[in-house]
Amino acid sequence: MHPRISVHGLSGRWSTLYEDLDFWASAGIDYVGIPMSKLDDAGREEGIKRILDADLRVCHVVAVKVFELSEPERWEAQRQALVEVVDIGRMLGAERLAITAGPPGPLMADEAAEAFTEALAPVRDYAAEQGVGIAVEHNHVLRRDLSFLNTLRDGITFARAADVKLCAEVQNFWVEYDLKRTIENGIDVIDLVQISDWVMADDSVPPNRAALGDGVIPLERIMKWLLDAGYQGAFDIELVGPRIDAEGYQTAVTRSIDWLEGALARLGA
């Protein structure tokens, strides 16, 4: 598999960590994202052992809804929980944590940004000491339960202000205005790119994603803009939704790897 292709563990949203490990081994997938939800379901100690035994490169460990941003009295306990995720990332040799901020509740976006910066700062500093990066993902505008960050442009602005990196989700930014310029201006903080496709008129929340090449997102053009701007990181395949469930995530992931390897070859990456 191309060394810049990662497969996100949430692509099999109904599969267990151990089922994913079996699939990855059989498909020759060696660069992956590990969701904390699956690791917790498997049992952290045994799950970590099995991941290490599989000799995988871990692109990222994923934690979502890490803070209740409008409830600062809960932040200290939530910080400690996230510190434990940092330690797991270090044990797995993960290149970064990929996190979503958590629900802002009644806070406006700028208030939520201030709250998240304050809540995250001690964990960010601890992660830096452990050699584990933090990339904050921007989310679909309808997923306010996950974050207050909805656009690539806002994500870039926040990442710079909070001294973190950005996980850029193609599904959530491809419709933005002046996108090429936004990518060029923000390439210094874009640390991870998550990629999927979308078929016109499909409907669900989060969006009903499709295997790469099956939909209307101009993926190869966006990849070229990223690469031309100097992006050095992974393209992380994240496939979720009814269309993927109907096809079977293993087939959809395998087809997406084939498409992405072809695109990277055409782009000279």
Side-chain angles (χ1 to χ4, degrees), residues 9-232:
L10 287 178
S11 293
R13 61 175 176 168
W14 309 121
S15 61
T16 68
L17 173 65
Y18 300 141
E19 289 169 339
D20 288 341
L21 288 169
D22 289 342
F23 165 54
W24 294 338
S26 66
I29 295 167
D30 61 358
Y31 194 30
V32 299
I34 304 293
M36 280 302 303
S37 56
K38 290 192 177 186
L39 184 58
D40 283 336
D41 287 345
R44 289 186 178 185
E45 184 175 349
E46 180 62 21
I48 290 168
K49 180 180 183 300
R50 291 280 296 273
I51 294 167
L52 292 173
D53 288 346
D55 196 27
L56 295 164
R57 292 189 299 145
V58 178
C59 179
H60 51 93
V61 174
V62 183
V64 299
K65 302 183 182 182
V66 294
F67 292 108
E68 295 287 341
L69 296 174
S70 63
E71 302 177 31
E73 68 276 8
R74 300 178 62 180
W75 291 352
E76 192 53 45
Q78 292 167 339
R79 285 178 181 131
Q80 185 53 48
L82 193 53
V83 162
E84 293 176 7
V85 179
V86 171
D87 290 338
I88 288 169
R90 177 179 48 78
M91 285 187 278
L92 294 176
E95 296 171 4
R96 64 190 61 78
L97 304 187
I99 66 173
T100 65
L107 300 178
M108 300 297 284
D110 53 348
E111 296 170 330
E114 291 177 5
F116 186 42
T117 301
E118 181 180 347
L120 184 64
V123 183
R124 177 202 61 207
D125 295 345
Y126 176 75
E129 293 171 359
Q130 303 304 309
V132 179
I134 293 181
V136 178
E137 181 180 350
H138 63 105
N139 301 101
H140 192 276
V141 67
L142 295 179
R143 294 305 309 269
R144 192 169 168 84
D145 60 311
L146 293 176
S147 179
F148 61 93
L149 289 170
N150 301 129
T151 68
L152 182 63
R153 185 176 287 106
D154 285 351
I156 290 165
T157 299
F158 174 80
R160 287 206 183 103
D163 194 23
V164 293
K165 296 296 185 179
L166 182 68
C167 173
E169 169 59 80
V170 170
Q171 188 76 220
N172 296 335
F173 75 61
W174 73 279
V175 295
E176 291 184 30
Y177 176 75
D178 203 17
L179 181 58
K180 182 174 183 288
R181 189 188 306 273
T182 299
I183 288 170
E184 291 169 345
N185 290 342
I187 200 65
D188 59 305
V189 296
I190 296 174
D191 187 53
L192 179 64
V193 173
Q194 293 182 329
I195 190 167
S196 57
D197 214 337
W198 181 74
V199 174
M200 189 69 72
D202 271 354
D203 184 28
S204 69
V205 179
N208 187 355
R209 301 182 183 191
L212 304 188
D214 283 2
V216 298
I217 300 179
L219 295 172
E220 196 163 328
R221 190 190 317 177
I222 292 170
M223 290 171 61
K224 184 177 189 307
W225 290 345
L226 285 157
L227 293 168
D228 286 350
Y231 178 63
Q232 298 294 318

